[in-house]
Amino acid sequence: MIGRLPEVRTVSADHEPSGPSTTEEPPLSRIITTALPAHGHTGPLLAVSADLAARGHEVVFLGGSRFAGAAERAGVRFVALPAEADFDDRDLDGSFPGRSSLPPGPERLAFDARHVFLDPIPAQYRALLALLADFPADAVIADAFLQGALPLALSRPRSQRPALIGIGVTPAMLPSVDTAPFGPGLPPLPGEEGRARNRALQEEADRRAEPLRRYTEKVYAGLGVEAPRGPRGLAAVTVPDHFLQLTVPGFEYPRSDAPAGFRLIGALPGAVGDEQPLPSWWGELTAGRPVVVVTQGTLANDDLGELVAPTVTALAERDLLVVAATGRPGGPQALAGLLGGSLPGNVRAVDYVPFERLLPHTDLLVSNGGYGGVQTALRYGVPLVVAGASEDKPEVAARVQWSGVGLDLRTGRPAPVEVGAAVDRVLGEGRFRERARALGAELAQYRPFDTIAELVEAEAHSVPVGR
């Protein structure tokens, strides 16, 4: 999404918070929330934090230092991760030297697994233990990629620790006999043929991941904890007491062997962003032309030539209104520079825009595959064209095509002709819009904030910890 992170206190679709309590009543429970110091991971956990605080719980957020202000606006206490576990996700290549030399794909994913996710585990775990000594929480709610929370459950029985609840903020990495290994964006293949393919691919993935497995064991051994066994992605789901995936069955591959603690709870509603001023051209959204929005999100947007510029080029001067949401200051000027100094007449470029207000007027979203942004579009029944090659984006794009809500271009840098043909097809074939609306209706049936709150309250009353 292109809305700014500090908007997390806005009224949600499934709960109307009354704001932080001003009474002297004790909190319902004490909760620690924590996330990797990256926008796409921190945003959902702060939204959960704000909702729980508004319900009367006492919440402390453990996260990246640059999100201290956002936590304050969410109405929760903030504690910074130690420097060894903190980084600036807006410059991953600068934070992790050597990353930029690796192409998107298996090599970069392996680099990230080692340096972005595994190396910070000891510092994350120590920070969590220190916080628990000062703030004996009833529950810890952790972004699935903050793996320093896992030793908490691995090192002591449930009666001696708070409940651990994992939150899946990216497509599910849970391995299964019914799915290919996470990463390349391969959709399910039905029947025994598919299971045979999945077994072969998983065996190959396990062989390639052997050095990473040994590295993982070394990291955990330094904590005096035995490393979780099994393929990458399994521990994040099976070690916590509960694992809540932020999506619905219509947008996630079925797994006949999923553990009981793995639940799909719906996507979090976004912030409405009423305080954000609307651009002067906003009235054109209802002037009758189909509206196509293109974005590379708020992080992977240094090079607008990857997707935004090809889309604008492909759709220039068509009978469409094209909104280029660049997601960064100076984005419209940078885009114009890529296009020879000016924008086509049917294009409106902005730095930031309130997506929750834009999407109800949108006929098609062209996206690089941010998980939250894609599901936000689906909440409004908007079909998609997705082109993403880094991080989890190939998996998001594959789910877009598998679920029937759009097309996966299977590249992060499509040519204008590819984008144009995909836009024509999605706009021209009503089945994509129909399927997107069906997914929107499915998402509307879920109340994820209520689900999380009910689970926390049940856990808080089941096993008192340090109280």
Side-chain angles (χ1 to χ4, degrees), residues 309-374:
T311 301
V312 168
T313 299
L315 305 182
E317 310 308 337
R318 293 197 191 188
D319 189 22
L320 303 166
L321 178 63
V322 181
V323 178
T326 64
R328 63 182 175 92
Q333 294 78 13
L335 177 60
L338 291 173
L339 299 173
S342 62
L343 299 174
N346 66 331
V347 175
R348 307 290 178 265
V350 292
D351 47 10
Y352 297 96
V353 63
F355 258 35
E356 294 281 342
R357 300 181 69 179
L358 176 62
L359 287 169
H361 306 294
T362 301
D363 295 280
L364 171 67
L365 176 64
V366 181
S367 165
N368 64 344
Y371 192 57
V374 165

Side-chain angles (χ1 to χ4, degrees), residues 133-366:
D134 173 66
F135 182 77
D138 300 292
V140 173
I141 304 177
D143 156 34
F145 284 81
L146 192 127
Q147 298 179 34
L150 299 183
L152 184 67
L154 291 166
S155 62
R156 63 201 70 187
R158 173 66 182 91
S159 59
Q160 299 176 19
R161 61 170 174 83
L164 179 58
I165 301 170
I167 302 289
V169 301
T170 68
M173 295 179 64
L174 178 65
S176 170
V177 297
D178 301 312
T179 64
F182 187 91
L186 296 176
L189 186 64
E192 183 52 39
E193 178 186 0
R195 290 196 168 201
R197 180 203 69 171
N198 299 338
R199 284 194 297 269
L201 290 174
Q202 188 63 60
E203 289 172 2
E204 174 61 24
D206 290 344
R207 282 194 295 271
R208 284 190 277 113
E210 182 60 23
L212 187 62
R213 184 189 65 78
R214 293 195 298 269
Y215 191 79
T216 302
E217 291 176 347
K218 180 179 178 181
V219 170
Y220 276 84
L223 300 174
V225 178
E226 183 178 353
R229 299 187 180 276
R232 178 173 175 246
L234 182 64
V237 173
T238 57
V239 172
D241 302 294
H242 308 273
F243 190 89
L244 309 179
Q245 182 67 38
L246 296 178
T247 193
V248 294
F251 197 66
E252 184 51 66
Y253 305 147
R255 293 168 171 81
S256 60
D257 52 354
F262 178 74
R263 297 171 58 190
L264 308 184
I265 66 167
L268 297 179
V272 176
D274 288 330
E275 72 285 0
Q276 193 167 337
L278 300 178
S280 59
W281 47 260
W282 195 259
E284 297 181 53
L285 296 171
T286 56
R289 287 190 292 179
V291 176
V292 176
V293 176
V294 57
T295 182
Q296 290 177 210
T298 53
L299 289 180
N301 56 20
D302 288 340
D303 181 5
L304 296 175
E306 290 181 351
L307 180 59
V308 175
T311 301
V312 168
T313 299
L315 305 182
E317 310 308 337
R318 293 197 191 188
D319 189 22
L320 303 166
L321 178 63
V322 181
V323 178
T326 64
R328 63 182 175 92
Q333 294 78 13
L335 177 60
L338 291 173
L339 299 173
S342 62
L343 299 174
N346 66 331
V347 175
R348 307 290 178 265
V350 292
D351 47 10
Y352 297 96
V353 63
F355 258 35
E356 294 281 342
R357 300 181 69 179
L358 176 62
L359 287 169
H361 306 294
T362 301
D363 295 280
L364 171 67
L365 176 64
V366 181

Side-chain angles (χ1 to χ4, degrees), residues 4 31 35 65 67 71 91 99 102 115 133 186 199 308 321 345 349 353 364 372 422 434 459:
R4 298 172 187 259
I31 304 164
S65 56
F67 298 106
D91 184 20
R99 186 178 187 272
L102 301 174
H115 299 294
L186 296 176
R199 284 194 297 269
V308 175
L321 178 63
V353 63
L364 171 67
E434 292 173 6
E459 285 288 353

Side-chain angles (χ1 to χ4, degrees), residues 37-64:
H39 184 282
H41 297 255
T42 295
L45 269 295
L46 278 182
V48 170
S49 302
D51 180 78
L52 290 170
R55 294 173 187 258
H57 300 282
E58 186 178 359
V59 183
V60 176
F61 177 73
L62 174 66

